[in-house]
Amino acid sequence: MTEQPTSFERPQTGVNPADPRGALLRTPAAPEPHAGTTALPAQARGTGETPSATSVTPGAGAGPEHSQPATAETDTHRPRPAPEAIPAQPGLDQERSVHGPGGQERRSGQVTAPGRPTPMRRDGDRLRFVGAATRRIARGIDLDEIVMGLCRATVPTFSDAILVYLRDPLPVGDERPTGPVVLRLRRTDRIPEERDTENGFMPVFQPEPSELSTLTAELCEVRPGGALSEVLRGVRPVFADAPAARAALPELLGDDGEALVPNGQRAILAPLRGRRRVIGAAVFLRRPERIPFEADDLLVAAQLATHSALGIDKAVLYGREAYIADELQRTMLPETLPQPTGVRLASRYLPAAETARVGGDWYDAIPLPGSRVALVVGDVMGHSMTSAAIMGQLRTTAQTLAGLDLPPQEVLHHLDEQAQRLGTDRMATCLYAVYDPVSHRITVANAGHPPPVLLHLGGRAEVLRVPAGAPIGVGGVDFEAVELDAPAGATLLLYTDGLVESRLRDVWTGIEQLREKLAATAQLTGPDHPPPLEALCDEVLDMLGPGDRDDDIALLAARFDGIAPSDVAYWFLEPEEMAPGKARRLVRRALARWELEDLTDSVELLVSEVVTNAVRYASRPITLRLLRTDVLRCEVGDDVPQLPRLRQARATDEGGRGLYLVNRLARRWGATRLSTGKVVWFELNQG
């Protein structure tokens, strides 16, 4: 539907074009008199009265008030009232009348000073104004935009000032608010003094500063059964000089705000009613020099209040949905990344758009036994609540499978089965990698996901050759894992296709641009120093252009530091009675080599307890490993899948105190089940 120009949207004769407010409420200027038209006598102008007789050219047809020809049908359904005079306004020249063909009077518009809005005197003016105002209000998508649209649409076109009160807090949907009804002043607007220094809206007295928000009460508690409560319950707008409004306005505006209301019908109190209940009120004010409101202006105020209240209701619902979407996405993604030994991590997530806050992209970093870490990135089709829910289930499944220490290809196989159980159309891509800082190797399996990019320390960036595989949810396919070198100082970048694919470029072009971007960024820090991880993620996202955001983006960067071989001690122990003593001697020598003799007593005691427990049940050789990083970590592995549990030993028990000592002396400890048994580990601070 094409918007028709309104009376306050087109330039008019006699109006200063530099004044942004001058043409807002002015009726069209008088045209030049036609042939055969007699000008209005001078004494008739300025009186506001309609002359009783007019000289016309014989034979001229009687012209209607507006340009549309009058018909019998229109006269039947909508009789047009006879023209009425405009009351005199103090300090303003009165409107001039001219006579058109047939003796019909035509109102030409007031001769006013530039920038002085005049009231609407025609039904057509009101209809055009209401249409334009409601369109402006409807353009708002959030609460502030809708309230601002109401204020900007009415000031100065309909009123010289406006105050908008809303419930605090605003009820959402069908929820029933508890407690008393409290109205908070949400926004005020008025004709600025710099635009109308002589005749702008002013209160009866001149306060300092002259801002409406400082003259009225910010909060107003609506008393049950009070005057304000009765006006709000009535829903219909009322004039300020009505008995109900005279008692309600002081309650709403406060003691000082009552001075804002001029005498006569120059203020309207309009309740704002949403879908279920009254959610606020609006006060429209006109200055004393301006013509007061008319009865038809109550209908205009009702229309403005209705459209604004419904828009506010929808904005509150939209805000609640956006909050739920944000919370859902936030809980689906890791709140913080872990800090595993030998690797540093950084991540980013960007939604597809402001209106699509949730999506199916996710990333994860899961610590594994043996100081390893699993790096996961995945993408469920779509960016909706359903995609986010499926993503959450797949991410939880991946975390559970990672805890079982399954190979990457097995993890993808089980994820594929889980996706088929969720539905036949649940498709996703996923890349699962396991990094071992001791061996400086990484094992990668792919399920239809874009390949990772490895940035070497010297600045060379390469796209890793990983078998693509089929997406998760296809079913009946095998996944293949490859093992690659992960040198110290290198950076592995895992990402979703939203980073490299858009309407402007295909996925392989985007991957090549990503590789070039990484190489160019690495050149800035030199060949011996890798770029900072957080800054590298920001640089990668900067490659996105204005039209490249077609999908949400998940990004996970891992900087491989590794663990030097000199900081690792590894032994095999036979499950025999002499194993605890041998373990103590080996640990003592390693600590002496690392100059950590201060930890000898504590480490020997804890290692002896853990190894003794493993010997009691193990049937195959036991593994013992010490890792020296920022902490000292000890790991004891056996072939028994049952995990030890901390319990309080009774006074008569001969055992059961080993884990109690570990819990009291170690910085951290834990036990992880493996596919071949379990690993019990503990950590001690070095200093």
Side-chain angles (χ1 to χ4, degrees):
M1 182 176 66
T2 304
E3 290 190 14
Q4 299 297 329
T6 60
S7 60
F8 53 85
E9 292 176 340
R10 58 175 180 265
Q12 299 166 12
T13 305
V15 177
N16 182 10
D19 192 339
R21 178 178 50 81
L24 294 181
L25 280 176
R26 198 161 294 125
T27 53
E32 294 295 331
H34 295 284
T37 303
T38 303
L40 187 69
Q43 62 272 19
R45 295 195 301 268
T47 62
E49 297 180 358
T50 304
S52 58
T54 307
S55 300
V56 297
T57 302
E65 183 181 2
H66 295 282
S67 59
Q68 293 86 349
T71 62
E73 181 178 355
T74 55
D75 291 339
T76 302
H77 292 281
R78 185 178 176 84
R80 189 172 301 281
E84 59 180 359
I86 298 178
Q89 299 186 51
L92 297 180
D93 295 336
Q94 300 304 308
E95 102 177 333
R96 296 174 299 160
S97 299
V98 295
H99 295 271
Q104 194 77 5
E105 180 190 1
R106 297 175 57 197
R107 191 168 277 115
S108 63
Q110 296 177 344
V111 181
T112 61
R116 300 283 296 275
T118 61
M120 293 171 286
R121 301 297 298 175
R122 293 285 180 262
D123 291 341
D125 291 339
R126 289 189 173 91
L127 290 176
R128 284 191 292 270
F129 164 70
V130 171
T134 53
R135 285 193 298 270
R136 185 164 189 171
I137 294 170
R139 282 197 294 263
I141 194 173
D142 60 17
L143 184 61
D144 291 332
E145 290 178 353
I146 292 173
V147 175
M148 180 181 294
L150 171 63
C151 295
R152 297 293 170 82
T154 56
V155 176
T157 310
F158 181 69
S159 62
D160 297 321
I162 184 175
L163 298 95
V164 181
Y165 287 83
L166 296 180
R167 292 187 66 162
D168 186 27
L170 276 168
V172 180
D174 296 334
E175 70 178 19
R176 293 184 175 273
T178 59
V181 177
V182 177
L183 299 181
R184 178 182 293 273
L185 182 61
R186 184 76 184 194
R187 185 178 179 86
T188 64
D189 205 353
R190 51 164 291 176
I191 301 177
E193 294 182 35
E194 59 270 15
R195 291 170 53 187
D196 196 2
T197 55
E198 296 182 359
N199 297 292
F201 176 84
M202 293 291 179
V204 175
F205 61 92
Q206 299 294 329
E208 292 292 341
S210 58
E211 294 292 338
L212 297 181
S213 58
T214 62
L215 300 175
T216 58
E218 182 181 1
L219 290 176
C220 167
E221 181 175 343
V222 181
R223 298 190 301 270
L228 180 58
S229 176
E230 294 299 325
V231 173
L232 296 180
R233 186 181 294 113
V235 179
R236 298 178 181 276
V238 293
F239 288 121
D241 58 352
R246 280 200 301 268
L249 283 174
E251 183 181 348
L252 178 65
L253 304 179
D255 297 335
D256 296 336
E258 189 177 359
L260 289 171
V261 182
N263 295 326
Q265 294 182 353
R266 291 182 172 85
I268 294 178
L269 174 57
L272 303 178
R273 178 177 174 81
R275 295 171 56 250
R276 300 289 181 181
R277 59 187 65 84
V278 174
I279 59 174
V283 181
F284 304 95
L285 302 170
R286 283 185 180 176
R287 60 178 181 261
E289 293 82 4
R290 190 172 174 182
I291 289 180
F293 289 109
E294 301 175 355
D296 288 343
D297 292 327
L298 291 179
L299 301 178
V300 175
Q303 288 290 322
L304 297 175
T306 299
H307 284 275
S308 300
L310 294 177
I312 291 171
D313 250 359
K314 294 178 181 178
V316 172
L317 290 173
Y318 171 77
R320 171 61 63 88
E321 290 183 359
Y323 170 78
I324 294 174
D326 288 340
E327 287 296 306
L328 176 62
Q329 189 67 58
R330 185 185 62 81
T331 55
M332 291 297 183
L333 296 175
E335 185 174 354
T336 57
L337 291 173
Q339 298 178 353
T341 303
V343 62
R344 286 173 286 171
L345 303 172
S347 63
R348 294 290 187 275
Y349 175 81
L350 292 178
E354 187 66 21
T355 55
R357 300 168 181 258
V358 294
D361 292 16
W362 91 91
Y363 61 87
D364 215 340
I366 309 169
L368 300 178
S371 298
R372 297 171 300 151
V373 59
L375 307 174
V376 191
V377 63
D379 183 5
V380 179
M381 288 192 309
H383 36 79
S384 61
M385 291 287 189
T386 303
S387 301
I390 296 173
M391 176 265 287
Q393 297 181 70
L394 293 180
R395 177 174 176 245
T396 303
T397 304
Q399 289 179 331
T400 304
L401 296 172
L404 300 177
D405 198 28
L406 298 178
Q409 64 272 22
E410 291 294 327
V411 172
L412 295 183
H413 175 72
H414 289 291
L415 283 177
D416 180 62
E417 292 180 342
Q418 175 67 12
Q420 294 180 66
R421 285 191 290 267
L422 294 177
T424 57
D425 58 344
R426 307 310 187 192
M427 303 287 291
T429 63
C430 182
L431 190 141
Y432 188 94
V434 176
Y435 170 65
D436 190 344
V438 177
S439 64
H440 296 267
R441 304 281 288 178
I442 184 170
T443 306
V444 186
N446 191 7
H449 203 78
V453 180
L454 184 65
L455 177 63
H456 293 270
L457 183 59
R460 181 174 63 91
E462 66 169 329
V463 180
L464 297 183
R465 297 179 179 273
V466 180
I472 291 174
V474 173
V477 296
D478 293 330
F479 300 98
E480 182 181 353
V482 295
E483 189 173 350
L484 306 169
D485 289 329
T491 304
L492 183 69
L493 201 69
L494 308 180
Y495 54 91
T496 55
D497 58 355
L499 180 66
V500 295
E501 185 180 19
S502 69
R503 291 171 293 179
L504 305 179
R505 58 184 177 184
D506 60 83
V507 61
W508 289 109
T509 301
I511 292 175
E512 181 61 24
Q513 292 179 1
L514 173 62
R515 189 192 65 80
E516 295 174 354
K517 182 69 173 180
L518 291 174
T521 305
Q523 295 297 327
L524 300 177
T525 57
D528 299 330
H529 301 282
L533 206 56
E534 297 290 341
L536 181 64
C537 293
D538 294 335
E539 288 292 330
V540 168
L541 294 181
D542 284 343
M543 66 178 283
L544 297 172
D548 290 349
R549 290 286 301 281
D550 296 333
D551 197 1
D552 44 344
I553 299 172
L555 177 65
L556 179 63
R559 173 71 45 77
F560 299 141
D561 295 331
I563 300 176
S566 59
D567 293 330
V568 181
Y570 194 86
W571 305 280
F572 286 95
L573 303 174
E574 294 294 331
E576 56 186 13
E577 294 181 359
M578 304 299 294
K582 185 178 180 180
R584 288 193 296 269
R585 291 192 299 270
L586 295 173
V587 167
R588 188 183 308 115
R589 294 172 187 172
L591 294 178
R593 185 171 66 251
W594 292 336
E595 298 180 354
L596 297 176
E597 291 87 351
D598 295 342
L599 300 178
T600 301
D601 293 339
S602 299
V603 175
E604 285 188 8
L605 175 60
L606 299 183
V607 167
S608 178
E609 292 294 339
V610 176
V611 171
T612 299
N613 190 69
V615 168
R616 181 177 301 175
Y617 303 104
S619 58
R620 295 180 181 179
I622 300 168
T623 60
L624 173 62
R625 185 166 73 168
L626 289 182
L627 302 173
R628 184 185 65 166
T629 56
D630 55 338
V631 297
L632 181 67
R633 182 182 177 98
C634 177
E635 299 174 350
V636 178
D638 58 55
D639 60 344
V640 180
Q642 287 78 16
L643 299 180
R645 301 297 180 186
L646 181 64
R647 64 184 181 88
Q648 187 71 34
R650 294 174 297 181
T652 57
D653 292 341
E654 295 183 0
R657 296 175 178 83
L659 289 181
Y660 179 77
L661 293 175
V662 174
N663 185 63
R664 292 298 300 268
L665 298 179
R667 173 177 174 266
R668 290 196 310 156
W669 76 278
T672 305
R673 183 180 287 110
L674 306 177
S675 57
T676 58
K678 69 174 181 295
V679 168
V680 180
W681 57 270
F682 62 85
E683 294 178 351
L684 293 172
N685 293 323
Q686 297 186 30

